[in-house]
C-alpha cells in the first residue's frame, strides 16, 4: 500500500476533513508540520506520509487505495483472508493470531511479486535484503512489521529480527491452518511426589515453600533422587491460584477469591426487601445513664431497591429489643414484604418469629436468613457500615477503630478514663450522639449512590441518583407504600408472650397483673402483649381468635415494690452481675491480704505495752459477731390485716358518708384512693353498673 502522497493527490481524493485544493493542502501541511520527504522524479516537491491525515480522512484514503489495489491484483483467489476468519472454531491466542496474519501478509506480497514475473527465490531474497538494509521500513512499514512478527520465537536466534529465506519458503508451502505457530503447552501431569509435598505445604499454618520443602525431604523414603526446590516451585506455579490455597485457607476465606453472583435489584420496588444488621460503633461515647465511656450497638435497616436507610436503632448492647425498635422505625416508611437478615440472636427469637405471638406473624412479612458465614450474600448492608458508621466515627474524638494508630488509641483511652476522675471529658454526650446519628442518616440518604441508576440533575450534571431521589421517583410513578396507623402499629409491635391465667392473675416478668375479666379464663393459655417502656398495664388476648379479653393492671397487693419494665429489668440484671463480679474480686483481694492462717489456741501475738492476743480470744470475738442482733418485730396495722374486699368496702363507706372518718384514718383514706387495688375494684364496679346483671353472670 502506498504511504507517501503529494498535496495534489490528497486534494484530488476529496477526503473528508481536508482542503479541496492543492495550495490549501500545502499550507495546512506547513502549519501542522506534517512529516514529509523530497519527491523523486520530474517536478520535485514534497510527499506527505499517510499518518499525517485525520482518522476519518485516512480511513477514506485507505479504502480508496485498497479498491485500486484489488483492481490491479485481478484474480481474488490469490488473496488470503485473515487466518482467524477462516478458522472460527480453532482456539488461538492473540500471539498465534498475529503471527498467522503476518505470515499471510508475507504470502500475499510474495505472490504479488511473483505475478509480475519475478521468481519466488528472487522475491524472497529481495524482500529480506530490503528488510535487513532498512529500505523496507521506509517503503512499506507494514510489511516490515509483518516480517518481524512472522518469526517464530522458539527457533534459533541468528541475530536478526527477521526470519530466514528457508522459513519463508516453509510458510509458502503450508496450508492456511498451519500458518499459526504451535503453542507451547505446559506439562500439566502432576509428578509422583506432588501429593506428598502438598501434604506439607497446604496447611492452615501457611508455611513457606522452603519450610514445607524441608519437611518434605525429612519424610522422603524413596530410593530415587528427590526433586529440587526449584522443581517444587515450578510445580506450584502450574497450579491455579485457588487450587494453591486449598488447605491453606478455610472454606469461608476461599469465598473471597472464588467467583460470585451479582444480584440484580433493578426490578424491585421499595419495600419489597429490607435488610438489617447490627454494628458495634467504632468510637466511644458517654453512657446515657452514668456517663462512662462505652461503644453503643447501632442496628441499621435499609431498603434494597433504593438503598435508602429506613430505620436506625441505637442500644447499649445487641438484643432483640434493639432490632424491634429499628423495625418499628422502618415500617413508618413502608411495611416490607421480605426481611433478609443473618442468623444472629437479635433476629432468631420468639419475640419476632414465633408463629403464635411473634411480630412477623402479625406484620405479615417473611423473614429470610442468609447462610451461616456468608456475609457476601448481604453485601449491601455490610458495605453500609463502612460508609455510614466507620467513616463517620473517624470524625469523632473517641474513635477506636482497628486501623487507628495503636499509640494514639491508647492515649485516647487514658484521657477518657482520666476524665471519669474529674478531668475534662472529650467524648460526645449521649444526646449529641443521637442527634449526630440522625444527621448522618440524612446525609447518607441525600448522597449519590454508585449502585443506583444515573440521572441528570437540575444543573445539567449527569450523576447517580440518591436513595431519597429514587424513592421519590417510585412514588411519582404510582407506587404507594403500605403503612400502619397508630392503633395497628401498637397492636403489631407490642411484644407478646404466652402465659396461663390463674384466679384472675397473670405473671409476666416477675410482675403480677390482675383483672376481673380473667375470672372465667382460669387455667387457660392466653397471649399477653406488653409495652417495652411501661409496665403498668398488659393486654390479654384469646389465643384461638386473637380477641382482646381485657387490659390487666399491675396488682399492687401482690408486690410491694414499683413495677419494672422489660428494659429496666434487663438493666437491673446487668447491674447486679457487674456488682457481683466486683464483690468476688474484692473478696479475692481481701483473702490475699489476710493470707496468714488462723491462730491456733496455744498461739499468741505480743502487742508490747498493750498486752497480747491469742487464738481463744479471736474465736470468742468471731462467735460474738456472728450472732444476729435481736430485731423488734413491728405488728401489722389494722389495714394490712384486712382483705382487699374489706379495705375497699371501708373506703366506700367513708366516701359515701355512711361512716364518719376518724382522725387516725384520714391519711389512709387519702392514699388508698391512689392505689392499683382501689382502681381495679372501682373499674369493676363501673362495668357492673354499665352492663347490668348480665355482667355479674359473666
Amino acid at each position: 500500500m502506498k504511504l507517501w502522497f503529494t498535496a495534489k493527490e490528497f486534494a484530488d481524493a476529496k477526503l473528508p476533513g481536508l482542503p479541496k485544493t492543492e495550495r490549501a493542502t500545502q499550507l495546512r501541511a506547513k502549519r501542522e508540520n506534517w512529516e514529509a520527504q523530497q519527491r523523486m522524479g520530474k517536478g520535485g516537491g514534497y510527499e506527505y506520509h499517510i499518518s499525517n491525515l485525520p482518522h476519518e480522512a485516512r480511513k477514506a484514503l485507505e479504502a480508496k487505495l485498497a479498491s485500486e489495489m484489488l483492481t490491479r491484483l485481478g484474480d481474488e483467489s490469490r488473496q488470503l483472508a485473515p487466518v482467524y476468519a477462516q478458522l472460527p472454531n480453532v482456539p488461538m491466542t492473540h500471539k498465534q493470531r498475529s503471527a498467522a496474519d503476518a505470515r499471510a501478509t508475507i504470502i500475499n506480497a510474495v505472490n504479488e511479486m511473483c505475478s509480475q514475473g519475478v521468481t519466488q527465490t528472487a522475491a524472497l531474497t529481495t524482500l529480506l535484503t530490503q528488510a535487513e538494509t532498512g529500505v523496507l521500513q521506509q517503503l512499506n512499514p507494514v510489511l516490515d512489521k509483518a516480517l518481524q512478527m512472522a518469526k517464530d520465537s522458539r527457533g534459533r536466534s541468528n541475530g536478526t529480527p527477521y526470519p530466514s529465506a528457508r522459513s519463508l519458503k516453509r510458510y509458502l508451502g503450508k496450508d492456511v491452518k498451519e500458518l499459526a505457530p504451535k503453542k507451547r503447552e505446559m506439562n500439566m501431569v502432576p509428578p509422583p511426589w506432588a501429593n506428598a509435598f502438598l501434604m506439607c505445604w497446604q496447611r492452615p499454618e501457611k508455611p513457606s515453600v522452603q519450610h514445607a520443602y524441608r519437611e518434605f525431604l525429612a519424610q522422603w523414603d524413596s530410593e530415587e533422587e528427590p526433586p529440587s526446590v526449584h522443581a517444587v516451585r515450578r510445580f506450584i506455579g502450574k497450579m491455579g491460584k485457588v487450587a494453591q490455597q486449598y488447605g491453606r485457607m478455610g472454606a469461608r476465606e476461599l469465598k473471597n477469591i472464588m467467583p460470585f453472583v451479582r444480584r440484580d435489584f433493578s426490578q424491585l420496588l421499595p419495600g419489597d426487601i429490607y435488610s438489617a444488621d447490627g454494628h458495634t460503633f467504632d468510637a466511644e461515647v458517654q453512657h446515657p445513664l452514668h456517663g462512662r465511656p462505652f461503644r453503643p450497638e447501632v442496628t441499621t435497616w435499609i431498603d434494597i431497591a433504593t438503598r435508602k436507610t429506613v430505620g436506625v436503632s441505637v442500644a447499649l448492647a445487641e438484643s432483640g429489643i434493639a432490632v424491634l425498635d429499628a423495625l418499628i422505625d422502618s415500617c413508618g416508611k413502608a411495611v416490607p414484604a421480605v426481611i433478609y437478615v443473618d442468623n444472629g440472636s437479635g433476629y432468631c427469637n420468639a419475640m419476632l418469629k414465633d408463629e403464635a405471638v411473634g411480630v412477623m406473624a402479625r406484620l405479615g412479612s417473611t423473614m429470610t436468613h442468609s447462610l451461616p458465614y456468608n456475609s457476601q450474600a448481604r453485601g449491601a448492608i455490610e458495605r453500609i457500615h463502612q460508609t455510614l458508621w466507620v467513616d463517620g466515627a473517624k470524625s469523632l474524638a473517641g474513635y477506636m477503630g482497628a486501623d487507628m494508630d495503636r499509640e494514639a488509641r491508647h492515649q485516647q483511652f487514658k484521657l477518657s478514663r482520666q476524665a471519669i476522675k474529674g478531668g475534662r471529658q472529650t467524648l460526645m454526650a449521649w444526646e449529641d450522639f443521637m442527634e449526630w446519628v440522625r444527621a448522618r442518616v440524612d446525609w447518607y440518604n441525600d448522597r449519590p449512590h454508585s449502585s443506583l441508576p444515573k440521572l441528570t440533575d437540575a444543573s445539567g450534571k449527569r450523576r447517580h441518583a440518591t436513595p431519597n431521589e429514587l424513592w421519590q421517583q417510585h412514588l411519582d410513578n404510582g407506587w404507594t407504600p403500605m403503612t400502619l396507623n397508630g392503633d395497628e402499629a401498637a397492636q403489631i409491635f407490642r411484644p407478646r408472650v404466652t402465659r396461663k391465667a390463674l384466679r384472675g392473675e397473670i405473671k409476666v416478668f416477675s410482675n403480677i397483673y390482675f383483672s376481673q375479666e380473667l375470672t372465667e379464663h382460669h387455667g387457660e393459655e392466653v397471649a399477653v402483649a406488653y409495652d417495652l417502656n411501661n409496665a403498668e398495664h398488659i393486654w390479654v388476648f384469646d389465643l384461638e381468635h386473637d380477641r382482646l379479653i381485657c387490659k390487666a393492671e399491675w396488682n399492687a397487693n401482690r408486690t410491694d415494690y414499683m413495677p419494672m419494665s422489660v428494659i429496666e429489668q434487663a438493666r437491673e440484671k446487668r447491674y447486679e452481675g457487674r456488682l457481683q463480679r466486683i464483690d468476688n474480686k474484692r473478696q479475692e483481694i481481701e483473702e490475699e491480704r489476710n493470707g496468714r492462717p488462723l491462730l491456733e489456741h496455744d498461739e499468741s501475738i505480743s502487742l508490747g505495752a498493750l498486752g497480747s492476743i491469742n487464738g481463744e480470744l479471736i474465736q470468742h470475738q468471731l462467735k460474738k459477731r456472728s450472732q444476729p442482733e435481736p430485731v423488734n418485730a413491728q405488728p401489722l396495722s389494722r389495714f394490712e390485716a384486712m382483705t382487699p374486699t374489706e379495705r375497699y368496702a371501708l373506703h366506700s363507706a367513708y366516701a359515701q358518708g355512711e361512716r364518719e372518718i376518724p382522725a387516725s384514718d384520714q391519711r389512709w383514706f387519702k392514699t388508698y384512693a391512689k392505689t392499683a387495688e382501689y382502681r381495679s375494684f372501682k373499674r369493676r364496679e363501673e362495668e357492673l353498673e354499665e352492663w347490668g346483671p348480665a355482667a355479674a353472670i359473666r
Side-chain angles (χ1 to χ4, degrees):
M1 182 180 292
K2 186 177 179 181
L3 301 176
W4 299 88
F5 299 84
T6 63
K8 187 176 185 308
E9 290 175 332
F10 282 149
D12 294 340
K14 306 298 183 182
L15 301 176
L18 289 184
K20 301 301 185 288
T21 63
E22 180 181 1
R23 181 56 181 165
T25 304
Q26 291 174 346
L27 292 175
R28 179 169 178 176
K30 184 177 181 181
R31 182 172 62 253
E32 296 179 357
N33 195 21
W34 284 6
E35 181 183 359
Q37 68 178 10
Q38 193 73 31
R39 180 174 176 271
M40 303 298 292
K42 186 178 178 179
Y46 289 95
E47 292 179 334
Y48 304 96
H49 196 272
I50 191 175
S51 62
N52 296 310
L53 299 181
H55 180 73
E56 294 296 331
R58 181 173 177 176
K59 288 295 183 183
L61 181 59
E62 289 176 351
K64 184 177 181 180
L65 295 176
S67 62
E68 294 177 357
M69 184 178 295
L70 290 176
T71 303
R72 291 197 308 270
L73 291 176
D75 188 7
E76 295 184 358
S77 62
R78 294 180 300 172
Q79 302 305 308
L80 188 63
V83 174
Y84 62 86
Q86 297 190 24
L87 306 174
N89 298 325
V90 178
M92 288 192 296
T93 64
H94 176 72
K95 187 175 182 180
Q96 286 178 298
R97 184 181 296 114
S98 300
D101 290 343
R103 294 172 183 179
T105 302
I106 296 172
I107 292 175
N108 284 339
V110 173
N111 290 337
E112 173 65 19
M113 295 173 69
C114 292
S115 67
Q116 303 296 328
V118 181
T119 63
Q120 187 180 90
T121 302
L124 294 175
T125 303
T126 302
L127 190 64
L128 291 175
T129 301
Q130 291 181 347
E132 293 288 350
T133 57
V135 177
L136 186 62
Q137 173 65 28
Q138 299 179 1
L139 297 178
N140 195 334
V142 175
L143 189 57
D144 182 78
K145 185 67 175 177
L147 278 172
Q148 298 181 32
M149 295 175 61
K151 183 176 181 179
D152 194 342
S153 60
R154 300 175 300 168
R156 185 181 302 172
S157 176
N158 53 5
T160 175
Y162 304 102
S164 63
R166 184 176 179 181
S167 297
L168 293 180
K169 288 182 180 180
R170 286 200 302 269
Y171 302 157
L172 295 172
K174 288 184 177 180
D175 185 75
V176 63
K177 297 180 180 181
E178 301 176 356
L179 284 178
K182 300 297 182 182
K183 183 181 178 181
R184 183 177 297 175
E185 297 292 342
M186 191 179 298
N187 183 12
M188 301 303 296
V189 178
W193 45 263
N195 288 335
F197 172 75
L198 291 178
M199 292 292 292
C200 300
W201 187 64
Q202 288 185 330
R203 299 187 308 183
E205 296 83 4
K206 296 183 179 180
S208 64
V209 175
Q210 191 68 38
H211 179 89
Y213 181 71
R214 288 196 299 267
E215 293 188 2
F216 169 67
L217 290 181
Q219 300 174 9
W220 184 263
D221 56 356
S222 177
E223 296 180 357
E224 298 180 2
E225 187 72 17
S228 65
V229 67
H230 306 290
V232 169
R233 293 185 187 275
R234 288 193 296 271
F235 166 68
I236 294 176
K238 295 178 183 179
M239 298 174 62
K241 299 301 181 183
V242 177
Q244 290 178 1
Q245 301 304 326
Y246 278 111
R248 298 172 68 87
M249 290 183 179
R252 281 176 285 169
E253 213 176 339
L254 277 174
K255 287 184 178 180
N256 297 327
I257 61 176
M258 295 188 68
F260 63 96
V261 177
R262 291 189 180 273
R263 294 181 174 179
D264 181 24
F265 63 94
S266 59
Q267 303 301 320
L268 295 177
L269 292 175
D272 282 352
I273 301 178
Y274 280 0
S275 186
D277 195 19
H279 171 70
T280 302
F281 197 61
D282 283 346
E284 290 184 330
V285 298
Q286 295 185 35
H287 196 282
L289 300 180
H290 50 65
R292 293 178 178 271
F294 91 113
R295 296 171 61 183
E297 180 76 13
V298 183
T299 303
T300 310
W301 287 70
I302 66 169
D303 173 59
I304 297 298
T306 62
R307 294 299 196 266
K308 179 183 176 69
T309 302
V310 292
V312 174
S313 173
V314 183
L316 306 183
E318 182 180 3
S319 63
I321 296 175
V323 172
L324 180 61
D325 188 22
L327 177 60
I328 295 173
D329 189 17
S330 303
C331 291
K333 282 78 173 178
V335 176
V338 177
I339 296 176
Y340 189 43
V341 293
D342 58 19
N343 294 274
S345 60
Y347 309 100
C348 297
N349 54 68
M351 181 177 63
L352 292 178
K353 299 186 63 177
D354 189 274
E355 295 182 359
V357 296
V359 173
M360 291 293 103
R362 300 192 302 273
L363 188 62
S365 301
T366 301
M367 179 176 289
T368 304
H369 299 276
S370 61
L371 295 176
Y373 307 109
N374 190 29
S375 58
Q376 296 92 337
R378 296 178 296 105
I381 188 63
E382 294 287 344
R383 185 62 184 85
I384 198 175
H385 294 325
Q386 300 295 324
T387 305
L388 192 56
W389 305 125
V390 176
D391 185 67
K394 293 182 179 181
S395 62
L396 303 182
Y399 180 69
M400 305 291 260
D403 57 348
M404 187 177 182
D405 178 69
R406 182 178 180 182
E407 181 180 356
R409 182 168 62 247
H410 183 65
Q411 183 65 23
Q412 172 62 34
F413 183 85
K414 291 173 59 178
L415 290 176
S416 61
R417 269 58 184 178
Q418 290 175 358
I420 299 175
K421 303 176 182 179
R424 179 177 175 271
Q425 182 60 269
T426 59
L427 301 181
M428 182 178 289
W430 181 256
E431 294 78 9
D432 297 336
F433 174 68
M434 294 301 298
E435 184 65 29
W436 179 87
V437 168
R438 288 188 286 269
R440 191 71 181 173
V441 170
D442 294 339
W443 167 83
Y444 181 84
N445 289 335
D446 290 328
R447 169 181 173 271
H449 201 289
S450 60
S451 66
L452 300 182
K454 286 189 174 182
L455 51 78
T456 303
D457 59 13
S459 63
K461 182 180 178 182
R462 191 74 176 168
R463 59 169 175 80
H464 291 280
T466 67
N468 279 338
E469 288 174 341
L470 190 57
W471 185 284
Q472 185 61 42
Q473 183 177 343
H474 283 285
L475 290 174
D476 297 338
N477 293 337
W479 172 76
T480 303
M482 186 184 77
T483 56
L484 304 173
N485 57 39
D487 294 337
E488 291 175 338
Q491 292 296 330
I492 289 176
F493 292 117
R494 286 192 185 111
R496 293 191 183 187
V497 292
T498 303
R499 293 292 186 269
K500 180 179 289 188
L502 296 174
R503 301 176 65 184
E505 295 181 343
I506 295 178
K507 187 174 182 181
V508 181
F509 302 119
S510 302
N511 295 326
I512 297 178
Y513 298 86
F514 173 79
S515 176
Q516 292 288 350
E517 285 83 351
L518 294 174
T519 303
E520 300 301 329
H521 295 275
H522 173 73
E524 295 182 4
E525 293 282 345
V526 293
V528 176
Y530 58 91
D531 194 329
L532 291 173
N533 298 290
N534 185 4
E536 291 289 339
H537 309 90
I538 60 172
W539 293 261
V540 185
F541 294 84
D542 179 72
L543 275 177
E544 182 177 358
H545 304 290
D546 196 28
R547 177 181 58 85
L548 178 64
I549 298 176
C550 66
K551 181 180 179 182
E553 294 186 358
W554 175 69
N555 195 340
N557 68 329
R558 295 292 297 171
T559 55
D560 56 357
Y561 49 84
M562 293 300 295
M564 298 175 63
S565 67
V566 176
I567 295 179
E568 290 173 343
Q569 291 192 28
R571 291 175 182 169
E572 188 67 25
K573 185 177 181 180
R574 183 166 60 249
Y575 299 153
E576 292 177 356
R578 294 175 63 185
L579 291 175
Q580 181 64 35
R581 289 192 293 272
I582 293 175
D583 292 340
N584 294 339
K585 189 67 176 178
R586 181 186 299 275
Q587 181 179 358
E588 179 182 347
I589 295 173
E590 291 289 345
E591 291 176 354
E592 290 179 0
R593 183 173 65 178
N594 303 325
R596 181 180 177 88
L598 190 65
L599 294 176
E600 300 293 339
H601 292 288
D602 56 347
E603 293 182 351
S604 63
I605 298 177
S606 176
L607 302 179
L610 298 178
S612 61
I613 182 172
N614 54 28
E616 183 179 356
L617 180 59
I618 293 177
Q619 292 292 339
H620 176 72
Q621 292 295 331
L622 290 176
K623 183 177 181 181
K624 180 179 179 181
R625 292 185 178 182
S626 63
Q627 294 178 354
E629 296 182 1
V631 179
N632 295 328
Q634 296 293 334
L636 295 176
S637 64
R638 71 184 187 92
F639 299 110
E640 293 175 340
M642 294 180 179
T643 64
T645 304
E646 293 174 346
R647 285 194 293 269
Y648 182 75
L650 178 61
H651 187 276
S652 299
Y654 286 161
Q656 296 173 6
E658 297 177 359
R659 296 179 60 179
E660 184 179 356
I661 305 175
S664 59
D665 293 356
Q666 289 286 347
R667 179 179 178 82
W668 174 84
F669 177 77
K670 295 179 180 179
T671 58
Y672 182 74
K674 301 178 181 180
T675 62
E677 179 182 299
Y678 173 81
R679 292 195 300 271
S680 178
F681 278 102
K682 187 66 175 177
R683 185 173 62 255
R684 179 61 178 173
E685 183 178 291
E686 293 173 353
E687 292 175 352
L688 291 174
E689 293 177 357
E690 179 180 355
W691 295 340
I697 297 174
R698 180 185 175 189

